[in-house]
């Protein structure tokens, strides 16, 4: 039954009032150096996480990497009321990859040229082995997006390179602007991508020839390419409309039961890595709990 006009007006005003109150509050996670974390300005129960190193094209340094993991491990679990996360980048692009100027990423990795060749070789092997825990920690930071209990919607513009793709592979929904340029750049830098792209990207779009070509060559691919292979679900009409169109998706998500959405995300992630039978058992057990 339709609500009387006076009740509809009251509900609308109460909704708008709750949005204003929430957006004016300081988010409990707004404590990081390279992330801006705020309540959404117009949607209730939505947290907006923005990569915030615009002068560096949001290239991820060691501190920012830790902050991403810490933020997504806590979001939606600390009484912040979050039902969905909007992830975006400030400035001219979403993410320019790893900040290779940050020596903390590679400290202790380069061999000491003053040592003799044999000793230097042994030292390099030990240092390379010691780098594994750091790689594991970096992997875990992005896995936190995937394991975040609420959906993460990534609004991508400009450059999304290397670690930017690693990160957005962990988002639940990806929407990009027409000017977005993607690149799985690691092979061109003499590296194998080791923070999730080679494992997640093919599961999102398939293991076909085009995917292997992009991983082997490190060439750029466009927003149209991302849409065609299924990496992005839509392209905004313009960069200026990107967040607005992402908000439309989010508004539909938060209109549903938060419990239903959380269980749906959990089941989708579990089923991706297990058999159909195991996935059915998992969701049956979850829904009956």
């Amino acid at each position: 039954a339709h609500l009387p006009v006076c009740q509809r007006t009251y509900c609308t005003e109460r909704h708008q009032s709750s949005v204003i109150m929430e957006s004016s509050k300081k988010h409990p996670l707004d404590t990081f150096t390279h992330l801006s974390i705020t309540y959404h300005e117009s949607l209730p129960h939505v947290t907006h996480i923005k990569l915030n190193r615009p002068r560096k094209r949001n290239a991820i340094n060691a501190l920012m990497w830790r902050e991403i993991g810490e933020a997504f491990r806590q979001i939606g679990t600390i009484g912040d009321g979050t039902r969905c996360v909007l992830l975006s980048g400030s400035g001219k692009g979403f993410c320019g990859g790893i900040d290779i100027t940050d020596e903390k990423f590679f400290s202790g990795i380069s061999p000491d040229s003053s040592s003799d060749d044999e000793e230097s070789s042994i030292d390099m092997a030990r240092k390379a082995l010691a780098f594994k825990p750091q790689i594991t920690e970096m992997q875990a930071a992005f896995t936190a997006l995937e394991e975040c209990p609420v959906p993460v919607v990534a609004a991508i513009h400009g450059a999304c390179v290397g670690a930017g793709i690693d990160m957005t592979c962990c988002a639940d929904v990806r929407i990009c602007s027409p000017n977005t340029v993607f690149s799985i750049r690691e092979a061109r830098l003499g590296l194998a991508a080791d923070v999730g792209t080679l494992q997640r990207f093919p599961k999102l779009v398939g293991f076909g020839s085009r995917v292997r070509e992009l991983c082997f060559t490190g060439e750029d691919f466009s927003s149209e390419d991302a849409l065609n292979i299924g990496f992005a679900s839509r392209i905004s009409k313009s960069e200026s409309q990107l967040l607005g169109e992402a908000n439309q998706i989010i508004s539909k998500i938060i209109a549903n039961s938060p419990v239903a959405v959380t269980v749906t995300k959990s089941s989708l992630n579990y089923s991706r890595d297990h058999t159909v039978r195991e996935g059915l058992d998992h969701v049956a057990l979850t829904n009956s709990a």
Side-chain angles (χ1 to χ4, degrees), residues 134-279:
Q134 183 170 336
I135 295 175
T136 303
E137 185 179 339
M138 292 159 69
Q139 292 171 343
F142 284 168
T143 298
L145 276 77
E146 191 173 67
E147 295 178 346
C148 178
V150 300
V152 178
V153 176
I156 310 165
H157 75 289
C160 181
V161 174
I165 293 188
D166 290 315
M167 178 164 41
T168 52
C169 278
C170 298
D172 297 286
V173 178
R174 288 162 294 279
I175 175 174
C176 58
S177 65
N179 69 337
T180 305
V181 177
F182 299 90
S183 178
I184 303 169
R185 189 68 58 85
E186 285 84 351
R188 285 166 56 182
L189 300 176
L191 303 168
D194 56 7
V195 195
T197 291
L198 299 184
Q199 293 70 39
R200 293 187 174 98
F201 189 68
K203 286 195 174 186
L204 293 170
V205 303
F207 286 82
S209 174
R210 179 61 174 153
V211 170
R212 290 173 181 262
E213 178 185 345
L214 292 173
C215 293
F216 293 153
T217 63
E219 70 182 20
D220 295 348
F221 60 102
S222 68
S223 54
E224 288 287 347
D225 291 326
L227 180 66
N228 290 337
I229 64 177
F231 186 61
S233 57
R234 66 178 72 181
I235 302 171
S236 64
K237 292 180 181 178
S238 67
E239 183 179 325
S240 63
Q241 293 174 285
L242 174 64
L243 292 182
E245 294 189 33
N247 290 342
Q248 291 175 15
I249 298 171
I250 292 171
S251 65
K252 294 177 182 178
I253 293 172
I254 63 174
N256 295 326
S257 159
V259 175
V261 171
T262 294
V263 172
T264 297
K265 173 171 179 173
S266 174
S267 182
L268 285 168
N269 286 349
Y270 185 90
S271 297
R272 177 198 59 197
D273 300 326
H274 295 79
T275 66
V276 172
R277 179 71 266 164
E278 290 168 333

Side-chain angles (χ1 to χ4, degrees), residues 15 18-19 22 40 42-47 81 83-84 250 254:
H15 168 80
S18 67
V19 171
E22 186 175 79
H40 198 284
S42 60
L43 294 174
H45 310 298
V46 177
T47 291
R83 296 185 186 179
C84 191
I250 292 171
I254 63 174

Side-chain angles (χ1 to χ4, degrees), residues 23 29 31 85 87 96 128 185 213 246 278:
S23 63
L29 292 178
T31 59
V85 174
L87 175 64
R185 189 68 58 85
E213 178 185 345
E278 290 168 333

Side-chain angles (χ1 to χ4, degrees), residues 12-32:
T12 301
E13 289 176 348
R14 186 174 62 177
H15 168 80
Q16 291 174 340
S17 175
S18 67
V19 171
I20 292 170
M21 287 176 62
E22 186 175 79
S23 63
S24 63
K25 288 194 304 183
K26 178 179 173 65
H27 198 286
L29 292 178
D30 190 19
T31 59
F32 296 107

